[in-house]
Amino acid sequence: MDERERPADGEIYSANYSVGRKGWAGNCPARFLRAVAYPVLLLAVVSVSAAALWLKWDPARVSSLFLVGVISYLVLLERLIPYDRNWHPGKREWRWYGIYFLLTMAGSGLAQLLVALAVGLISPEEPARYLWVEIPGALLAGSLVSYLVHRLGHRNALLWRLHGVHHVPEKVNVANNGVNHVLDIVLAQSLVQLTLALVGFSRPAVLVAGLFVAAQGYFVHANIDVRIGPFNHLLASPEQHRLHHSTDLSEAGHYGSDLSCWDHLFGTFTWHPGREPAAVGLHDPTTFPGTGEILAALLYPWRRRPAPGPGPE
């Protein structure tokens, strides 16, 4: 079976959900938190975006501080309304995830410096069109490129050796959203940013779209019991992204981490109410180094592939 991708089959049900795994299932405060958690996050995106544009804050500083705030908020929610208590990181995992996060940020930041220079040279400082038109356009364009790069990372054997590192953990939570091969992050972010610059979206539009994408990227990876109902058909969610990490490749679609419209358009949308993965991680865990083998994972793309064994008699 191909570890990277199989066609999505919306008729296959693989849910094996146990309510006992969860936190305050029948608790009133928990129900309230589950209802307001995502609206509060979206309100933060809108508020910070408006303030940054109005007060002309430095985009790099705003993006960094906003990301810290988003991660802190979601980590707190993981403790208050967990989807699965067994998915909380242990002490060793926190160390591994921390190293991965720092490596990813450092490598991505260094490589993105050149991209930022290109964007600064190409992108106009002021919107050529109305900003309320540019922002949705930038979001749609960036989301489409991100979807295509992500899906290609599952289909192409070489790119899978980069992206597969992210699928090694057998949990899905905020902390291991940073478990990535540095080159995988650099490639994806570079292509998205350069596309937005080449199309001609202004820097304010790119900033606002970037804040939304950053919030969504960590939200969908959060180990929180939040459900967004029919909005799943427009926006990506933890419900969908857990299926993306499923070991059952028939349901592991959902390559969009911000908008779900591209999964609908390209036939990779597999979610329906109540559908949840029985297990997450790699279909064949032996194909990649473990999460704690950080150096081995970083060197994995250049490791010589083993010779194929003899065929069946």
Side-chain angles (χ1 to χ4, degrees), residues 20 29 32 50 72 75 81 96 119 135 155 158-159 176 235 250 284 293:
F32 175 75
S72 301
V75 168
I81 48 171
W96 299 337
V119 171
I135 292 173
R155 294 181 63 89
L158 178 59
L159 294 180
N176 65 26
L235 300 165
S250 66
D284 182 1
E293 301 174 75

Side-chain angles (χ1 to χ4, degrees), residues 37 60 71 94 96 120 137-138 153 202-203 294:
I71 293 174
W94 273 115
W96 299 337
S202 65
R203 297 177 204 177
I294 297 174

Side-chain angles (χ1 to χ4, degrees), residues 7 13 17 42 77 80 87 93 104 108-109 153 155-156 164 166 185 197 208-209 228 237 240 248 252 309 312:
Y13 289 66
Y17 183 64
L42 294 180
L77 288 179
L80 297 176
W87 284 3
E93 290 170 321
T104 298
S108 179
R155 294 181 63 89
N156 179 273
H166 179 66
I185 293 297
V208 174
I228 65 173
S237 72
Q240 299 170 41
D248 178 356

Side-chain angles (χ1 to χ4, degrees), residues 42-90:
L42 294 180
L43 180 62
V45 173
V46 173
S47 301
V48 173
S49 298
L53 296 179
W54 182 262
L55 300 173
K56 300 187 182 301
W57 289 342
D58 176 55
R61 182 172 298 178
V62 170
S63 299
S64 299
L65 293 176
F66 180 71
L67 184 61
V68 171
V70 167
I71 293 174
S72 301
Y73 172 63
L74 293 173
V75 168
L76 176 61
L77 288 179
E78 285 188 330
R79 291 293 169 179
L80 297 176
I81 48 171
Y83 167 77
D84 188 337
R85 292 186 181 277
N86 295 325
W87 284 3
H88 289 322

Side-chain angles (χ1 to χ4, degrees), residues 121-163:
L121 292 173
I122 299 171
S123 294
E125 293 189 17
E126 299 297 331
R129 297 163 289 277
Y130 291 112
L131 192 58
W132 61 267
V133 174
E134 274 208 54
I135 292 173
L139 178 58
L140 285 170
S143 176
L144 175 58
V145 174
S146 178
Y147 172 93
L148 295 174
V149 172
H150 189 183
R151 189 168 181 183
L152 188 61
H154 282 257
R155 294 181 63 89
N156 179 273
L158 178 59
L159 294 180
W160 172 247
R161 290 168 76 85
L162 296 174
H163 183 66

Side-chain angles (χ1 to χ4, degrees), residues 1-294:
M1 182 181 295
D2 188 349
E3 172 67 48
R4 288 163 283 159
E5 180 184 34
R6 274 185 50 190
D9 180 359
E11 299 303 316
I12 296 179
Y13 289 66
S14 64
N16 182 24
Y17 183 64
S18 169
V19 176
R21 300 183 310 185
K22 292 167 50 179
W24 306 342
N27 191 298
C28 288
R31 287 198 297 269
F32 175 75
L33 279 176
R34 288 199 291 269
V36 303
Y38 190 43
V40 166
L41 183 64
L42 294 180
L43 180 62
V45 173
V46 173
S47 301
V48 173
S49 298
L53 296 179
W54 182 262
L55 300 173
K56 300 187 182 301
W57 289 342
D58 176 55
R61 182 172 298 178
V62 170
S63 299
S64 299
L65 293 176
F66 180 71
L67 184 61
V68 171
V70 167
I71 293 174
S72 301
Y73 172 63
L74 293 173
V75 168
L76 176 61
L77 288 179
E78 285 188 330
R79 291 293 169 179
L80 297 176
I81 48 171
Y83 167 77
D84 188 337
R85 292 186 181 277
N86 295 325
W87 284 3
H88 289 322
K91 291 183 179 179
R92 287 191 306 168
E93 290 170 321
W94 273 115
R95 289 197 294 269
W96 299 337
Y97 299 162
I99 294 171
Y100 265 113
F101 181 80
L102 292 175
L103 287 173
T104 298
M105 291 298 102
S108 179
L110 182 62
Q112 289 288 316
L113 179 61
L114 295 177
V115 176
L117 292 174
V119 171
L121 292 173
I122 299 171
S123 294
E125 293 189 17
E126 299 297 331
R129 297 163 289 277
Y130 291 112
L131 192 58
W132 61 267
V133 174
E134 274 208 54
I135 292 173
L139 178 58
L140 285 170
S143 176
L144 175 58
V145 174
S146 178
Y147 172 93
L148 295 174
V149 172
H150 189 183
R151 189 168 181 183
L152 188 61
H154 282 257
R155 294 181 63 89
N156 179 273
L158 178 59
L159 294 180
W160 172 247
R161 290 168 76 85
L162 296 174
H163 183 66
V165 171
H166 179 66
H167 285 262
V168 172
E170 296 177 345
K171 305 175 178 180
V172 179
N173 54 49
V174 169
N176 65 26
N177 187 41
V179 176
N180 301 287
H181 196 287
V182 175
L183 295 183
D184 185 40
I185 293 297
V186 170
L187 176 65
Q189 292 184 0
S190 298
L191 289 174
V192 170
Q193 292 293 325
L194 287 175
T195 298
L196 295 178
L198 290 172
V199 172
F201 291 110
S202 65
R203 297 177 204 177
V206 172
L207 170 63
V208 174
L211 292 177
F212 173 76
V213 169
Q216 278 289 112
Y218 276 90
F219 169 68
V220 301
H221 224 272
N223 176 28
I224 56 177
D225 184 25
V226 170
R227 304 168 194 183
I228 65 173
F231 289 105
N232 274 291
H233 297 287
L234 174 63
L235 300 165
S237 72
E239 300 167 85
Q240 299 170 41
H241 203 69
R242 285 191 282 267
L243 290 172
H244 175 69
H245 279 263
S246 175
T247 56
D248 178 356
L249 301 183
S250 66
E251 64 184 5
H254 298 290
Y255 299 100
S257 59
D258 37 49
L259 304 178
S260 59
C261 56
W262 307 118
D263 285 294
H264 271 299
L265 182 62
F266 295 111
T268 54
F269 190 94
T270 68
W271 174 86
H272 58 69
R275 187 174 198 176
E276 299 171 359
V280 297
L282 293 171
H283 177 74
D284 182 1
T286 64
T287 56
F288 274 82
T291 304
E293 301 174 75
I294 297 174

